[in-house]
Amino acid sequence: MRKECHPLLGGASRGSAGEDGRSYKHGFSSAEMESLASVCEALFPPLPLADPSFEGKKEELSGNKAVQSFYQASGAQTGIPDEVDENAENPAWEAIGYQVEPAENPKRVPEERPLHKGIIETMYQTDTSLLDSLADKGLKVTLDSKNNLYKIKCDVVIVGSGCGGGVAAAVLASSGQKVIVLEKGNYFTASDYSSLEGPSQDQLYESGGILATVDGKVMIQAGSTVGGGSAVNWSACIRTPDSLLQEWAKDEKIAFFGGSEYVSAMDAVCERIGVTESCVEEGFQNQVLRKGCENLGLAVHFAPRNSSEKHYCGSCGYGCKKGEKKGTDSTWLVDAVDHGAVILSGCKAERFVLEKSYKSGSIRKKKCLGVMAKSLSNNITKRLQIEAKVTISACGALLTPPLMISSGLKNRHIGRNLHLHPVLMAWGYFPDSINSEFKGKSYEGGIITSVHEVVSADSRPRAIIETPALGPGTFAALCPWVSGLDIKKRMLRFSRTAHVIVIIRDKGSGVVRTEGRASFELDASDKENMKAGLRQALRILIAAGAVEVGTHRSDGLRLKCEGTDKKEIEEFLDEVSADEGPQSLVEKWTTYSSAHQMGSCRMGINEKEGAVDQNGESWEAEGLFVCDGSVLPSAVGVNPMITIESTAYFLSKRIAESLRNNSFPVLVDSFC
């Protein structure tokens, strides 16, 4: 039985009971569940072993009861599509070779909650206890009964606790400012995590991990917990490429990207989050990527990570159970609370409070006085009105623009220029019996430890190739559905199917103006770069010894490698395409993915070029800053954590200096 985890991350069904007395977390009635079950059975039907499909394989199946049960299972049977039970058991896992990563030795996982002295978890609070908790943290709070709210005073309020907000909180609190951090997600630590795919996605990701562009073209993943994306990302810590820094400094005229201060910021960030440059033992998928590159004579490098060189955790995407990954929740936010910062989890910002500015000679016609927020707990009825000298939006490229727009800001760049680092995947199957040189299973080991750069004939970067973390549910959702038999065969290969991801630096862009609704368009060069990357990925998998390779294109494009010659392989690679989404009106389409979002409140030298200036301050509202990936002028082209944290570090240092110099107006008690 697995170690106890946080109740929200466990597998038990929760919620109100249906007519049959069973409890459904999702809120569907028993009749609705029955309809859903019928659909599930059509897609995932029971396959009797007497079926002709198993002719010649009955002897092979006779000794494996788990596989027999899996073939005979229906998508409508008890437990499916409900969640796994309280003990994290699922009858299909044995058949597909999967198990939830066992709990770490309790003696090695810190039980204390690193943020305990500075965090107020509003999910456990009431109106009365929240007032007491705020006062206990040294905050000045007054009750406004007429408007049913608490008024809270501080120096700096930050919306978001991820790569941008966490860094800004540490820098500003360390400079002597009283900081409040608002985070709509909940707080979890290493001992809380379960590694269960469903509940972890639900609690740790935006929209439960199921967020798509409005046309279904791109599936988007973004962290939504204390620590934001840094709590659930795959640890890659690649510094901002020199060529990109020069591009931003020269073409975009953002001078600091070309200077030594930004390099120093990267150094400080890498030191604080403990970036290491190599890996002692690679997992199955990274072994495959490295071997394939080596067999083709291609360069492959170790991916720097914010963990030890011995870190062998395949479930960091569901929170690091070992407690070794150094996200903001275990680094920068710890620094912040050590210097008096207060974090309010389960607390969502509703709007920035703006009023007309009468400052003579200022190009900014408004000034920001703070933020209105609410707890997501039903036990707290009062809203929070937080008054601050400086307000920072750090809720990411998907949520900062809607918050600014709903607050009344009009700059045309807010919500535009959204970049997603679009991803497509290739896969290769490596049976145990044939490829024993590759140890382990697809879900084991460090998620990203190797990286290969795809370049053009003239050495221009076209894409990078890395490896993903895919739980069984995500794996099944990505597989093109051909038939009930085919999907079950694919699932039985789950643990020895290696996936590699192709990430491009998108020239196309999207728009996000309303929370939960983003659009995105690739341009022609994006599709060509993606095709080049996919073809390279498939070559790597074939060179590593895969018996079968393919993509996730809607027609199930695949190639059995045994006995194929070079000409047949090239003919197969010529079939690879990168048309996007089911609404693209082409016969053979693919759904893209995105784990990196940036650029939607881009920095510019004036209000015609960007939403914020070179200090991160809104061109429209004095005292309102942005410190997250949305300020980046364009896509980065590599995993952006170091770039986002370094930019936030640089900007928050400037904000701290301005506060020391009293560059911001003193707020008065008439705040309303």
Side-chain angles (χ1 to χ4, degrees), residues 88-197:
E89 300 296 333
N90 185 308
W93 287 352
E94 182 182 351
I96 67 174
Y98 178 71
Q99 63 178 13
V100 169
E101 184 168 323
E104 184 70 8
N105 184 340
K107 294 180 180 179
R108 295 183 58 189
V109 176
E111 289 293 333
E112 74 273 8
R113 298 168 73 75
L115 303 177
H116 72 280
K117 66 181 179 182
I119 194 163
I120 299 174
E121 299 177 76
T122 65
M123 65 185 293
Y124 302 123
Q125 300 285 326
T126 63
D127 284 330
T128 302
S129 67
L130 177 60
L131 182 62
D132 293 338
S133 295
L134 291 166
D136 288 345
K137 303 297 184 189
L139 292 167
K140 181 180 178 181
V141 187
T142 56
L143 171 63
D144 181 344
S145 300
K146 180 180 178 181
N147 294 302
N148 194 37
L149 54 81
Y150 288 135
K151 293 182 177 181
I152 309 167
K153 285 192 173 185
C154 64
D155 296 316
V156 179
V157 58
I158 301 172
V159 182
S161 63
C163 294
V167 172
V171 170
L172 288 158
S174 299
S175 73
Q177 306 301 322
K178 187 63 178 179
V179 174
I180 293 177
V181 179
L182 301 179
E183 170 56 59
K184 70 184 177 74
N186 293 315
Y187 177 44
F188 303 105
T189 65
S191 59
D192 293 325
Y193 295 126
S194 68
S195 295
L196 292 174
E197 185 179 14

